[in-house]
Amino acid sequence: DAKTTQPPSMDCAEGRAANLPCNHSTISGNEYVYWYRQIHSQGPQYIIHGLKNNETNEMASLIITEDRKSSTLILPHATLRDTAVYYCIVGYGQNFVFGPGTRLSVLP
Amino acid sequence: EAQVTQNPRYLITVTGKKLTVTCSQNMNHEYMSWYRQDPGLGLRQIYYSMNVEVTDKGDVPEGYKVSRKEKRNFPLILESPSPNQTSLYFCASSLLGDRGSYEQYFGPGTRLTVT
């Protein structure tokens, strides 16, 4: 079973920041938090991952709480092309379990 | 261009007719894996491979075989396909990142229908 809990769906206005939450209260000390997204039925796309510290790359920012029990993916300026299912995954090594994710709809 | 390729992209076959879905990556990644995606069940890992000649079962390996004779290729074999293997299949590859993290690159998917 997936070790994460995400809201099934969210809406965001185009141009605004999209903040996608994820709960992972049973995360172990060596497990990473990963975020992927899937647009329609295309292959999932890696976005970002982190262990303890907040991370930022050209796509998004990842904020992990100090107790590591939850995290937030931030898309700073959402566009229509960011409409997708976003998966939060917790794991170490090759153990990847995808949950149902959050369906993000970016609205014009 | 760095990529994971899968062939075929679409396949309709009949029960019991052996088939192979190929997966190839050009990024010199050690780790490769296969997933299937079904409505309401999400992505589930079938098999994975840590390197050449090293493979292991994922969460749903029954009815599937894999091999890893070369680093770049990781074919998925269905010896006797059944209708419950109708699904969307994804291959992925990854370097072993810093401190055990995996940044997986996924292929475009293979939609398989078994009648």
Side-chain angles (χ1 to χ4, degrees), chain A residues 25-100:
Chain A
S25 58
T26 61
I27 191 170
S28 299
N30 62 352
E31 289 182 317
Y32 290 85
V33 180
Y34 297 86
W35 283 85
Y36 284 77
R37 72 180 183 184
Q38 186 175 26
I39 299 171
H40 297 298
S41 294
Q42 297 176 20
Q45 177 189 20
Y46 166 83
I47 301 173
I48 198 167
H49 76 279
L51 185 61
K52 295 180 182 178
N53 300 322
N54 298 336
E55 303 286 345
T56 295
N57 63 20
E58 65 278 4
M59 288 183 68
S61 295
L62 172 60
I63 309 299
I64 303 174
T65 58
E66 193 168 343
D67 63 8
R68 303 213 320 128
K69 293 185 177 182
S70 66
S71 61
T72 301
L73 178 75
I74 301 172
L75 307 178
H77 305 286
T79 71
L80 298 178
R81 288 181 295 180
D82 291 322
T83 291
V85 177
Y86 287 77
Y87 299 100
C88 171
I89 302 155
V90 163
Y92 179 81
Q94 78 286 348
N95 182 19
F96 266 68
V97 179
F98 284 77

Side-chain angles (χ1 to χ4, degrees), chain A residues 30 32 34 36 38 40-46 49 51 53 55 87 91-100, chain B residues 31 35 37 41-45 48 50 59 88 90 96 98-109 111:
Chain A
N30 62 352
Y32 290 85
Y34 297 86
Y36 284 77
Q38 186 175 26
H40 297 298
S41 294
Q42 297 176 20
Q45 177 189 20
Y46 166 83
H49 76 279
L51 185 61
N53 300 322
E55 303 286 345
Y87 299 100
Y92 179 81
Q94 78 286 348
N95 182 19
F96 266 68
V97 179
F98 284 77
Chain B
Y31 173 85
Y35 294 84
Q37 186 171 30
L41 295 175
L43 280 136
R44 295 178 292 169
Q45 192 178 56
Y48 63 92
M50 302 295 286
D59 296 321
L88 179 58
F90 291 103
L96 178 56
D98 54 305
R99 296 159 292 162
S101 66
Y102 287 69
E103 179 182 324
Q104 295 193 70
Y105 292 83
F106 283 79
R111 189 169 292 280

